Amino acid sequence: VGPAGVFVLDTKELGGVMSADDEGLHIRSREELDRVYREDRPLKRARQLGYEVHELLKAHVKLDTWVQPVVVLWGTFPQRIYRTGSPVVWIVHGDELAQWLREQPTRSCNVARVAAFLYEALAEGLPDLGGGISPVAHDRACRAERAGRGNGI
């Protein structure tokens, strides 16, 4: 959560050499170079997580905001960054993630309300989406609340 909006990051570490298109990931085996298989589950999962976070914010914060799904890849991904077609999922190599997030345009989003909700969700055990909220996000939310800013995530 930040000036560029709300993102859901789904991290994957897959073996082989990866490439991406609108259908999913294509993974070439390191051992069998002529063997390539398609993996569409990461894109489907990211879209589902984006939708679930959107619905959670809408229900609990009364905030109808776009939640951008991002698949973060660790491993060999020469494309480094790829944007799928609609509904958009970004696929970003983990080494590029911080810079990519900094480069995203500012969006209208009530960061303080979202951060406060996430902090409350941690404290009260509101539903997580299978992966929970990271300890880093929790720490930032706590520091932001103590500082009275409410936008530390």
Side-chain angles (χ1 to χ4, degrees), residues 51-72:
Y51 173 77
E52 289 176 13
V53 171
H54 171 264
E55 291 299 306
L56 199 62
L57 292 174
K58 198 162 102 175
H60 293 281
V61 186
K62 309 298 183 235
L63 188 63
D64 191 8
T65 189
W66 172 251
V67 176
Q68 179 59 63
V70 181
V71 175
V72 181

Side-chain angles (χ1 to χ4, degrees), residues 1-150:
V1 178
V6 180
F7 297 85
V8 61
L9 307 176
D10 194 18
T11 302
K12 302 290 178 206
E13 185 171 357
L14 304 171
V17 178
M18 297 169 282
S19 62
D21 63 21
D22 289 354
E23 300 300 315
L25 299 173
H26 301 276
I27 304 164
R28 179 176 304 276
S29 169
R30 291 183 195 273
E31 293 78 33
E32 303 171 53
L33 296 178
D34 59 338
R35 181 168 182 249
V36 177
Y37 65 96
R38 185 172 69 101
E39 180 60 80
D40 62 353
R41 288 177 295 185
L43 296 185
K44 288 179 181 177
R45 170 104 172 117
R47 285 184 178 112
Q48 182 63 35
L49 287 171
Y51 173 77
E52 289 176 13
V53 171
H54 171 264
E55 291 299 306
L56 199 62
L57 292 174
K58 198 162 102 175
H60 293 281
V61 186
K62 309 298 183 235
L63 188 63
D64 191 8
T65 189
W66 172 251
V67 176
Q68 179 59 63
V70 181
V71 175
V72 181
L73 294 178
W74 295 97
T76 305
F77 180 52
Q79 286 169 284
R80 309 301 281 179
I81 297 172
Y82 182 81
R83 179 187 186 270
T84 70
S86 184
V88 173
V89 173
W90 284 93
I91 303 169
V92 180
H93 190 281
D95 291 342
E96 308 290 337
L97 182 62
Q99 183 63 35
W100 179 82
L101 285 168
R102 282 191 290 274
E103 292 171 355
Q104 297 309 296
T106 300
R107 297 187 193 280
S108 171
C109 170
N110 191 326
V111 174
R113 279 179 44 204
V114 173
F117 165 71
L118 293 174
Y119 178 76
E120 230 175 84
L122 287 168
E124 296 178 12
L126 290 174
D128 73 52
L129 301 174
I133 299 170
S134 78
V136 172
H138 177 261
D139 180 57
R140 283 185 173 170
C142 291
R143 282 187 281 129
E145 183 183 72
R146 284 193 299 271
R149 292 190 310 268

